[in-house]
Amino acid sequence: MKILLSIDDTDAMKVEGVEVLGTGELASMIKQTVEERGWGVCEPITRHQLLIHPDIPYTSHNSSMCFMADIDADRLDELIAYSSDFLVRESAPEADPGLCVAVIDRLSHPGWLISFGYMAKNYVLTKEEAYDLAETLGLHLSEHGGTGQGIIGALAGAGLRLSGNDGRFKGKIKIKSETGIVTAGSIRATGKVDLVKSLEEGIILEDSDELVLGDTVKAVLLDGKAVLPVYSIGKDDSGRPRWQTYSKSQMKDF
Amino acid sequence: MANLFEESDERFLVTLSSEGEDKMWQVNDKGEHEFTGGKQDWIAAAKAAEECSCFQEDDEDELVADENISCYNCRYRRWTAKSFICCK
């Protein structure tokens, strides 16, 4: 069965000399456990930016982390129990962690979950609204410390991942190149990118098209695919368009 | 910069910005130090971080500035609706 696992509000402001794992790191550790224990196969983690507002408590950037997985149905309860214990154990003491696990095929109204995700990017939502929707949709939503406020972001993260059109993938794509120029095909061959696309022009690069690697190579979630966004930097000597990967500042709006 | 915060009682703290003398920080209603350059003043944010002994790079997934050393990339910044708070 395909599931979404999303967590939020697990960390605290980092303190010198004290190791505080970010929400993304905790999501990675849960994902790793799922695969190591043979519970299922996971897809990459996405980061989803939520509303920054004075009425919303958050550590530093108010984002949630989510991944999709195809798991053995018999392992669902075990996964939820493990993830719950893990968040209690690994979250920062000051954190307000929340966990959402949604079985996609069992969602009564998937569109409502997606709508909740987008609302969390634009409005201040409450725990009560999150629990009400979770009950209506029939998904798991639980809090594991502090105020439990993280359930809002966890639910929203699941909705935004389900939308297929929000967030950026955790981690950089590592690709070797002595010249700093690679083909779109070699990027896709890493298995971490479905498409290399110029978002401004709406052009999907051919595998033979070349692009210049910037200092960060990250994919974003668009139309349910891992898309590496590139922008035009003119044409080469033969008149072929040249492309470059987005910089960090260009990526920040995803 | 930390010393500036401790030594100044003024509402607006004055320090050197990319365009000369400017108000780079202000104290908000909660007594927090908020960057006055908003979220797009890349040069000032980089300069502020270069002058700060507390700068620590955040997790890779939270980096947004192309300049590696920038308050925008610091683990001690907390985003606000229009800018960020320095938590050091």
Side-chain angles (χ1 to χ4, degrees):
Chain A
M1 64 168 59
K2 288 218 168 188
I3 64 152
L4 294 160
L5 189 150
S6 177
I7 60 175
D8 191 23
D9 276 358
T10 65
D11 60 357
M13 185 57 69
K14 293 175 176 66
V15 178
E16 197 92 31
V18 178
E19 187 181 12
V20 177
L21 294 174
T23 303
E25 289 307 304
L26 296 190
S28 291
M29 292 163 77
I30 296 173
K31 175 174 173 278
Q32 188 177 349
T33 298
V34 170
E35 294 182 330
E36 284 177 354
R37 296 189 181 184
W39 293 345
V41 178
C42 302
E43 294 185 14
I45 296 166
T46 43
R47 173 200 184 276
H48 301 277
Q49 181 65 55
L50 307 175
L51 179 66
I52 300 285
H53 188 280
D55 292 342
I56 299 176
Y58 57 90
T59 306
S60 60
H61 29 70
N62 199 28
S63 59
S64 58
M65 295 281 182
C66 182
F67 65 87
M68 197 176 283
D70 193 352
I71 66 162
D72 183 341
D74 294 339
R75 299 293 190 181
L76 179 63
D77 290 342
E78 199 172 355
L79 170 61
I80 291 171
Y82 167 80
S83 302
S84 300
D85 291 344
F86 179 83
L87 289 184
V88 171
R89 191 172 65 244
E90 300 293 343
S91 296
E94 308 90 337
D96 309 308
L99 168 71
C100 175
V101 181
V103 178
I104 296 174
D105 287 343
R106 291 183 191 167
L107 289 172
S108 56
H109 300 84
W112 292 6
L113 181 58
I114 294 170
S115 295
F116 186 89
Y118 281 102
M119 286 187 66
K121 293 175 80 74
N122 295 286
Y123 299 98
V124 179
L125 303 174
T126 66
K127 282 175 61 178
E128 185 179 13
E129 289 168 327
Y131 276 130
D132 285 350
L133 181 61
E135 186 176 359
T136 302
L137 295 178
L139 53 76
H140 173 87
L141 189 64
S142 55
E143 54 188 88
H144 302 286
T147 66
Q149 193 81 10
I151 62 160
I152 301 168
L155 187 64
L160 291 166
R161 178 65 182 256
L162 186 61
S163 79
N165 275 301
D166 186 84
R168 52 185 189 246
F169 285 86
K170 174 175 165 49
K172 289 197 285 191
I173 297 163
K174 293 172 185 166
I175 185 160
K176 289 181 181 174
S177 169
E178 290 184 2
T179 61
I181 299 174
V182 298
T183 63
S186 65
I187 295 262
R188 295 197 330 114
T190 63
K192 295 182 176 178
V193 169
D194 297 314
L195 300 173
V196 180
K197 185 175 183 179
S198 162
L199 303 184
E200 286 80 7
E201 288 90 350
I203 296 171
I204 297 171
L205 272 62
E206 301 287 336
D207 278 353
S208 59
D209 287 335
E210 292 182 336
L211 57 138
V212 176
L213 297 173
D215 68 342
T216 186
V217 182
K218 287 178 78 77
V220 299
L221 182 61
L222 290 174
D223 294 331
K225 297 184 185 306
V227 176
L228 181 71
V230 295
Y231 65 99
S232 173
I233 52 170
K235 295 185 177 179
D236 63 17
D237 293 340
S238 61
R240 294 181 67 190
R242 299 185 68 220
W243 310 99
Q244 182 162 336
T245 58
Y246 272 29
S247 66
K248 286 194 277 292
S249 58
Q250 288 172 303
M251 292 289 289
K252 77 180 180 61
D253 293 329
F254 288 93
Chain B
M1 193 170 300
N3 288 339
L4 272 176
F5 292 164
E6 290 164 7
E7 291 168 11
S8 175
D9 292 322
E10 296 175 2
R11 177 173 173 77
F12 294 103
L13 297 171
V14 179
T15 186
L16 189 67
S17 80
S18 57
E19 295 177 359
E21 293 292 332
D22 200 356
K23 296 167 183 172
M24 197 182 288
W25 304 93
Q26 65 182 12
V27 180
N28 67 16
D29 296 341
K30 297 177 182 174
E32 301 163 323
H33 294 96
E34 186 167 18
F35 184 63
T36 58
K39 297 183 177 181
Q40 301 278 348
D41 195 342
W42 309 102
I43 295 173
K47 187 160 186 63
E50 284 170 5
E51 295 172 349
C52 178
S53 60
C54 298
F55 172 80
Q56 291 280 320
E57 190 173 276
D58 202 355
D59 295 339
E60 187 275 329
D61 294 295
E62 303 301 339
L63 304 182
V64 297
D66 296 328
E67 302 82 6
N68 287 336
I69 299 176
S70 167
C71 289
Y72 291 148
N73 288 347
C74 182
R75 63 167 56 179
Y76 299 118
R77 55 96 174 84
R78 183 175 189 272
W79 294 110
T80 60
K82 293 181 179 175
S83 182
F84 70 87
I85 302 292
C86 175
C87 297
K88 288 303 282 186

